[in-house]
Every structure is written in C-alpha cells, then in structure tokens.
Amino acid sequence: MESIHWIQLSLFVGLLLLLTHPFGWYLHRVLETKAKTIFSPVVGGCEKLLFKVLGPGAEKEQSWKQYGISLAFFSLAGMLLTYFILRLQHILPLNPQNLAAVDPALAFNTAASFATNTNWQSYAGESTLSYFSQMVGLTFHNFVSAAAGIAVAAALVRGVVRKSALTIGNFWNDLIRVTLHLLLPLSFLLALIFMSQGVIQNFQADTAVTCLETKAGQARSQSIPQGPVASQEAIKMLGTNGGGFFNANSAHPYENPTPLSNFFQLLAILLIPSALTRYLGLMAGNKKHGWAVWSAMAVLFLASLLVCWRAESLGNKRLPTAGVSRTGNMEGKEVRFGVFNSALFATVTTAASCGAVNSMHDSFTPLGGLMPLLNIQLGEVVFGGVGSGLYGMLVFVILAVFIAGLMVGRTPEYLGKKIESADIKLCAFYILISAILILGPAAWAAVSRWGTAGIGNDGPHGLSEILYAFSSAAGNNGSAFAGYTAISTMANIVLGLAMLAGRFMLIVPVLALAGNLAGKKAIPAGSGSFPVHGLTFIALLIGTILIVGLLTFFPPLSLGPVVEHFIMTGSGKLF
Amino acid sequence: MKTWTSELMRAVRAVILLAVLLCGIYPLAVWGIGQLLFPDKANGSLLKQGEKTVGSVLIAQPFTAPEYFHPRPSAVDYSCSRVSSGGSNLGPLSRSLSNQVAKQSTRYRQENGLPASFMIPGDALTASASGLDPHISPADAAAQAARVARARGMNRKQVLRMVQRQLEGRQLGLFGEPRINVLRLNLALDGHE
C-alpha cells in the first residue's frame, strides 16, 4: 500500500467524479429528448432508418406492461440469434480454426449469459468460439443488454418523477437512442485507445511463432490465437458485460496489454453507472439527491476496496514463507498490474455487474476474495451494472425512505410520491427474489453430485466457489472463482436459468413499481418530509443496504471465506 | 394477440438491423482504422527477424536454458502448439499451491545459486493470471542476472546494465508496476535489439 497507489486511486475516483457531471447531462439529453447530439452527424442516418423500419410503435409512449413486453420479445429474439449462431458456427464464416459447433447446453448457457448482461464464461473463448460467434453472437448482446438495462433504469426514474401518468416512455426509443448516441460512439473511441496500447483487431488465423530458445537443437514453435478483440473489448467494459474474448479475460495481454489500458477499462466500467446518479438528480429536480446516492455508492466502494487491497497486500500466510519476500499475494496476478490494480479491478468489476477480471479471484486470500463476493451479494448497487445498478439502488432508496418514515411515524414519501403498501411489496419482492435466486440454487448445488463435481479446491474454499458461481449468475455479474468448472449439462442449464431469472424476474417488479409510482399524484414536500440528501440520508441508505445484505448472506459466508480466513491465520491446515 | 405478433416482428426487425450495425459495420470500422493507425499492435505486436516471426512482445515464451532469463511459472503450457490462457485457480489454502511454491523456490535457489537467506521475489514463485505474463519484476530479473552472466561468460554488471535498459517504469510515471519484458531482454542479450 505505497503512496503511488493512493495517488492512482485518487486519480481514478477523482476522474470518475469529474466525468459523472457531463455524462449525466448527456444521458438526460439522449434519454429524455429527441435532440441532436454531437454524434448525430455520424449516427443520425442509422437512427432515422431504425425508427422508420420499426414504425410508429417505436415512438409512442408505453405503459409498464407494454414496455416489459417489448423488452421481453427483443431479448428473446436476440437470445435465439446467439443460440443458433453458436450451434451453427461450423458452417458460418470467419472460423479460420474450424472450431466445431457449440454443444446445446453450453450454447444455451452462453446465450442466456449474454442476453442477461451476465457474461459468465462457461466457454473458453479462444478454443470454443469462432470469430463470427464472438463478433456477432456475443458483441450484439454486449450492446443491447446494456442499452436495455439503461432503458429500464430510465423507465423507473420516469415513474418516480411523472405525476398521475399512465406511461413510462418507449422501450424501442430508449434502446435506439442509448445504443446509437452513447454506447456505439464511446465504444469506438475506447476501441481506438485500446488498440493504441496493443489490443489486437484482426481476422487472421493463429500466428505461428518460432521460439527464441531451442530445445536439444530442435526449434520450438508457438501458435498464438488472434481475432477482432478491440471492438468487443470496448463494449465489454462500457456495457458492464465482462465476457472475455480469451479465457483469461482482461488478464490476457491481448485484451489488456498495459497499465494505461487497464486504467481506461476501469473507468469505462463505472462511467455510465456513475453518470446515471447525475441523471437521477437532474430528473428529480434535486441534484443533491443524485450526489447523495453517488456518495453512498462511493463510501461502500472504498470500504470494500480497502479491505480487499489490504488483504491481498498482506499476502497468503500459508505459503512457505521462509526466504520469500513479501510482495503480497501474486498468485493469479499479472506483474504489470501488481496487487493494487488487481484488487481495484476486482472491486470495480463486482461493484458494477461487469465480471471482467484482470486477476484470478479464486486465488485471492480469503478476505480478499470475500469482498468481490460480498459486492455481488449486496445486489451490485455500488454503482452497479449499467442501468441495473441504478434501479437496484432505487429499490434500496425507497426501502430506506420507508424505514425512515416508520421511525418518525409518518407516511413515507419519496420525491413527492407517497410510498404505500403496493410499492413496498414490490421492493420486498425484488430483494427477496434476488436472495432466493442466489441461495436456493447454491444450496442445491452444494448437496448434489452435478453441483459438487465442478469444485476445484477442497475445504471451505469449495463452498466459496459454489457460492460465488451462483451469486455471479443470479446477480448477472459473470466473474467467477474459476476453479469451479460448470461443464456438466446440468450445471450449465441451472446456471443459465439462474441468470435469466436473476435478470427478468427483477426487471418485472421494477417496471411494475415504475408504473405504480407514475400513476400517483404528487404531494408538496412538507416540513415533515424526510430529505433525500445530506448525511442522514446517506447513512440510512448505506445502513439499509448493509443490514439487508449481511443478514441474508452472513451465514453462508461464515462457512466459506470467513472460516477459511481463520484456518489460514490460526492453523497450518491445508486442503 | 395481433399487437403481440406485431411487437414480436418489430423485435425481429430491430435485432436484424442492430446486428448489421453493431456486429458488422462497427467491428469492421474499428478493424480498418486499427490497420491504418496501429498496424503492428492490431496484428499482435509481433517481432520479426527477416521473414521469421520470433514472438509477440505481449505473449511469454518458454525459456529454460541458463543463458536466458526465465518467465514466471504458468498454469498453462505456453510452449504447446496452441496457446491457451488462464491461471491456476488454486485457493489460498490449497496443498498443491503450497507444494508448487515450495518446489519452485528450491529450484529457483539452486538454478541461481542463491543462499537460503536470500528473499525470493513473490512473482517468481507464483503463476500469473493469464498464464502468458510477458513480464517479470525487476527484483526477479536482478536475482537471475548472475546465472545468465555465468552461462554467457559475461560480467554480472554488464547483464544488469542490459536489464536496466529494458526496465519499463510505471506508465506515464504513474500507472501500473515497474517490470521487465522477458522476451525483449533475451533478444537484446542475443544481440538483436
């Protein structure tokens, strides 16, 4: 924990804070107006064409049910596209390595994984998927699942701020505007930055290399996989997707070659989730509220990072320490990133629902690995996924406001809307469902043959692996304790279903909440209204998130990473 | 029912159009600009000697001979015909991890003639995340310098000077960690700069 790392951290958080302001404004312009943007000269033509082909139904205001149906149909069509591309990749173009068709369970898992913005890697990119599968089957969802997430968040915010309204926007309009004016141009710029650092973008077959060192007079060769990586890498980060082109994801030098590319990847993950808090402030006409939500996120983020960073810096006590200099835990980490940038990346990727990794979380120390897992289990509301972070956070905001209302004995209200029984039921449903979807399948896997067959490490770490896999799937994160190999048909299907449920069973109550709030009359704020900014609100919000998360997940965590920590510090036991 | 069908058809049209734009035009545009502006990097940062490709700056190569600097241990075999990627994914209390580290530290000490009191840098004993880590830490390089010098009949100071010349500091003086590219250093030792 040297001073240079503190400087890197301040620069990262400072820059994120600085960008939140203009990008929040830009998001508001893209989502709430039909106005031209600086990218209109480039994408304006596509925009006109899309609206023309989709017809007037792509611009009319929709009720929450219509909005949900459009989203469901679009996701279904996209998922089928990916499924069939994977199944047919052997006869499709751009397959220079002649990779075979993907098997049905794995194709289902991968299609579900990308359609839900999870990007869990059950596949090993370079040895399973053709360039066409990567570029069309996967990149498509990287864009549109991100845009759909932002659309749902915007729908919820509209529901909060509209008065006596029947509609919450139009899904197609939100999808197109976000994709064309935000995700596509930013991805393009980011792809250029990545290529300038060494990320590859080509369509060649493997490169044959004659190694420098010969063995017993024989020349040795190396065959290096290539591919269109940069275009996919950019949206993988910006859309908090996280599915890597290569098995090693952002640890692979072709995906993330330099510390600078790493910095831009980190920034790209949190940029939109952070800017959405500003969008919330602008929509609510209460900018302080947006900043208060941002601050609560930042506090939780920094707390989580410091624990992870500290644990990784202290290193693995169980390794033979005699004569090994204490450079922190470097197992599963890259030299160019070191301990700090690995811990930062792990925190960022799990605070958001990104799931890209530049180090192997499975080899983290017990407490270092606990923090990414906990970030996912808290609901990925610490900045969170694009869109899903904000709508998840707003559920907690409404819960916090409700608790505050109970404490002072007044009808709770949020931004001029009375919070009533139906709203709280939907919030409770959201929170319960996300917990059940993690703990239910994880418990099932822990006691069944198909679930335990994939365990890569014995002892409490095996339970942590299962817990992480199902938290990541249902939480739509996609990172893994990758020693756990979910290669069986059963594991692929259960994880795939968990991802689908974790996405769409949460979007339904969110849209219902949006519709319900939109229909309410606004009441003027009185002297008894609980202010949704300032320290009291921030503390209450953080408290609500922690109490809900820890009460739900402390028991299983104590059997996994927590007990593992005490075994590491208190005994010589190995597994 | 009719509205559902029309909504489904709208979804299909949207998928097709967006796929053409996001999965066709966009990656091809990135490819075109990449080949124009950064052709070396977009094609894998390959190092050539005449017609022969001798490696990629970004992908570690197998080195075991004493006259070359060695890369970090790897969980994947980067000398095999097709390079895959990944870490060991061994947990902190894994017996295999503990054994591997113990074995590697004994070998490292023997190869480099280091006394038991010498503190081996951690990155020299652990497998990287990608399995292809092209770098080693400056401390690791310094510890290997004497062996390389002996095998090449060079002076240790000379080798250390070459190591120093290959040292990549923090990017922009700020980001990441100081490191040394093993392939570049070995090429320099062989007289190819």
Side-chain angles (χ1 to χ4, degrees):
Chain A
M1 297 178 100
E2 299 167 46
S3 57
I4 186 88
H5 300 129
W6 289 99
I7 297 173
Q8 287 181 31
L9 177 60
S10 329
L11 194 73
F12 175 69
V13 177
L15 209 54
L16 186 68
L17 185 59
L18 212 65
L19 291 173
T20 297
H21 197 281
F23 276 92
W25 172 85
Y26 186 72
L27 268 166
H28 184 267
R29 188 176 175 87
V30 167
L31 282 162
E32 302 308 320
T33 71
K34 293 289 255 175
K36 288 203 164 76
T37 68
I38 49 164
F39 299 116
S40 285
V42 189
V43 297
C46 295
E47 188 180 5
K48 265 200 201 112
L49 178 72
L50 269 161
F51 277 117
K52 201 174 149 202
V53 172
L54 295 191
E59 296 181 81
K60 267 201 299 250
E61 283 279 327
Q62 293 174 308
S63 72
W64 76 266
K65 281 181 190 151
Q66 289 164 333
Y67 199 100
I69 288 167
S70 298
L71 180 132
F73 279 148
F74 180 70
S75 304
L76 180 69
M79 201 177 141
L80 288 174
L81 172 84
T82 299
Y83 179 80
F84 284 108
I85 286 176
L86 297 180
R87 296 287 292 135
L88 299 172
Q89 70 172 3
H90 56 298
I91 52 172
L92 288 167
L94 291 178
N95 185 5
Q97 296 306 129
N98 293 316
L99 297 168
V102 180
D103 100 358
L106 182 57
F108 163 72
N109 181 290
T110 308
S113 157
F114 277 74
T116 56
N117 198 265
T118 308
N119 303 27
W120 166 269
Q121 276 179 270
S122 221
Y123 61 91
E126 60 268 57
S127 49
T128 321
L129 301 181
S130 75
Y131 296 165
F132 190 83
S133 296
Q134 297 256 17
M135 196 172 91
V136 183
L138 305 191
T139 307
F140 177 77
H141 289 290
N142 282 355
F143 276 102
V144 299
S145 68
I150 297 172
V152 173
L156 177 57
V157 174
R158 285 180 200 129
V160 172
V161 301
R162 286 185 182 179
K163 296 166 184 101
S164 313
L166 296 171
T167 60
I168 53 170
N170 180 291
F171 171 72
W172 304 107
N173 178 72
D174 292 343
L175 173 77
I176 293 169
R177 291 278 294 177
V178 167
T179 305
L180 293 185
H181 290 278
L182 182 73
L183 299 178
L184 185 59
L186 284 185
S187 295
F188 191 78
L189 294 176
L190 211 53
L192 293 189
I193 295 175
F194 288 163
M195 283 192 296
S196 79
Q197 296 300 305
V199 179
I200 56 174
Q201 177 81 1
N202 61 59
F203 296 97
Q204 293 151 15
D206 290 7
T207 305
V209 163
T210 317
C211 293
L212 195 59
E213 182 183 291
T214 55
K215 198 158 200 180
Q218 296 278 311
R220 281 196 287 182
S221 67
Q222 205 183 22
S223 176
I224 305 175
Q226 300 287 335
V229 178
S231 54
Q232 191 170 328
E233 196 68 17
I235 187 61
K236 164 190 151 193
M237 297 301 159
L238 202 59
T240 62
N241 292 286
F245 196 95
F246 297 106
N247 189 41
N249 207 294
S250 279
H252 196 294
Y254 275 168
E255 284 201 29
N256 192 1
T258 67
L260 199 61
S261 67
N262 191 62
F263 187 79
F264 276 101
Q265 297 206 345
L266 289 165
L267 210 54
I269 295 174
L270 290 190
L271 175 66
I272 297 175
S274 172
L276 276 167
T277 61
R278 174 75 182 166
Y279 162 81
L280 169 70
L282 288 171
M283 287 290 281
N286 181 350
K287 291 171 193 162
K288 281 189 195 158
H289 176 50
W291 288 123
V293 170
W294 192 93
S295 311
M297 290 173 167
V299 168
L300 286 167
F301 171 75
L302 288 174
S304 171
L305 171 68
L306 290 181
V307 174
C308 180
W309 180 17
R310 176 84 181 144
E312 290 306 292
S313 302
L314 288 175
N316 184 349
K317 283 222 173 72
R318 211 35 57 236
L319 290 185
T321 42
V324 179
S325 74
R326 296 186 63 113
T327 41
N329 176 20
M330 281 300 286
E331 180 70 26
K333 294 192 179 65
E334 301 279 297
V335 168
R336 63 192 179 285
F337 305 137
V339 165
F340 169 69
N341 274 293
S342 300
L344 179 60
F345 203 109
T347 308
V348 165
T349 199
T350 52
S353 77
C354 184
V357 294
N358 79 351
S359 58
M360 294 302 146
H361 297 181
D362 211 353
S363 297
F364 275 30
T365 57
L367 293 185
L370 168 67
M371 295 325 286
L373 179 54
L374 187 61
N375 287 339
I376 299 174
Q377 293 177 334
L378 289 181
E380 291 158 331
V381 291
V382 179
F383 297 108
V386 283
S388 59
L390 183 68
Y391 64 67
M393 190 54 142
L394 285 181
V395 167
F396 279 105
V397 167
I398 290 173
L399 197 63
V401 168
F402 173 70
I403 291 170
L406 289 185
M407 286 196 285
V408 295
R410 279 183 57 102
T411 309
E413 54 188 89
Y414 174 51
L415 297 173
K417 293 284 176 68
K418 265 192 187 145
I419 301 300
E420 291 160 312
S421 144
D423 309 302
I424 288 303
K425 277 181 189 153
L426 287 167
C427 291
F429 184 71
Y430 180 101
I431 289 167
L432 285 176
I433 282 290
S434 48
I436 290 168
L437 284 176
I438 291 174
L439 293 176
W444 183 22
V447 295
S448 58
R449 196 182 293 269
W450 64 266
T452 48
I455 288 177
N457 287 280
D458 290 334
H461 204 74
L463 181 67
S464 305
E465 286 182 342
I466 290 182
L467 208 52
Y468 200 107
F470 285 90
S471 301
S472 176
N476 292 160
N477 185 278
S479 66
F481 272 11
Y484 186 74
T485 44
I487 43 169
S488 70
T489 304
M490 189 65 181
N492 269 324
I493 291 175
V494 174
L495 283 165
L497 290 174
M499 291 186 254
L500 286 171
R503 173 86 166 176
F504 296 106
M505 280 180 76
L506 297 187
I507 283 182
V508 173
V510 166
L511 287 177
L513 184 63
N516 200 38
L517 288 172
K520 292 186 190 204
K521 285 199 295 272
I523 43 168
S527 60
S529 304
F530 178 63
V532 285
H533 55 79
L535 277 180
T536 315
F537 171 73
I538 295 172
L540 190 70
L541 182 56
I542 293 173
T544 307
I545 294 167
L546 287 181
I547 288 169
V548 169
L550 291 178
L551 282 181
T552 313
F553 293 105
F554 189 72
L557 288 176
S558 65
L559 296 175
V562 175
V563 76
E564 190 183 24
H565 172 74
F566 288 113
I567 294 175
M568 181 179 87
T569 52
S571 79
K573 196 167 168 50
L574 292 171
F575 295 92
Chain B
M1 198 61 219
K2 191 166 155 277
T3 52
W4 281 46
T5 323
S6 81
E7 203 59 12
L8 186 60
M9 291 322 292
R10 186 171 290 129
V12 171
R13 290 201 298 274
V15 166
I16 294 170
L17 272 182
L18 285 170
V20 170
L21 175 67
L22 303 173
C23 314
I25 298 170
Y26 159 68
L28 286 176
V30 172
W31 172 76
I33 294 207
Q35 297 295 325
L36 204 70
L37 295 182
F38 318 104
D40 290 344
K41 286 176 170 160
N43 291 322
S45 305
L46 301 173
L47 294 168
K48 305 233 175 196
Q49 277 172 15
E51 284 298 285
K52 212 169 61 173
T53 307
V54 293
S56 164
V57 178
L58 295 176
I59 308 290
Q61 268 184 25
F63 286 106
T64 48
E67 66 266 30
Y68 286 120
F69 281 88
H70 301 169
R72 296 176 64 191
S74 167
V76 299
D77 181 9
Y78 37 60
S79 61
C80 76
S81 55
R82 190 149 199 262
V83 175
S84 57
S85 60
S88 71
N89 285 314
L90 294 172
L93 298 187
S94 154
R95 180 167 285 122
S96 335
L97 176 66
S98 186
N99 290 344
Q100 277 175 24
V101 169
K103 228 162 87 185
Q104 170 68 8
S105 87
T106 312
R107 181 171 20 172
Y108 193 87
R109 242 175 253 286
Q110 272 169 2
E111 279 177 355
N112 296 300
L114 299 167
S117 61
F118 182 86
M119 303 288 266
I120 304 174
D123 67 294
L125 302 179
T126 48
S128 64
S130 63
L132 306 170
D133 196 341
H135 299 110
I136 53 177
S137 66
D140 186 2
Q144 295 188 44
R147 179 200 76 225
V148 173
R150 211 165 30 245
R152 288 180 176 262
M154 286 165 78
N155 180 327
R156 180 166 172 268
K157 280 222 173 95
Q158 254 177 307
V159 175
L160 279 176
R161 255 202 306 278
M162 300 196 76
V163 171
Q164 195 57 36
R165 221 172 316 155
Q166 293 295 330
L167 177 71
E168 296 173 43
R170 297 181 200 277
Q171 208 170 1
L172 309 179
L174 188 61
F175 297 108
E177 304 296 327
R179 60 209 178 275
I180 284 148
N181 188 298
V182 180
L183 181 60
R184 277 222 171 104
L185 176 58
N186 285 335
L187 279 168
L189 281 169
D190 274 3
H192 321 283
E193 282 283 351

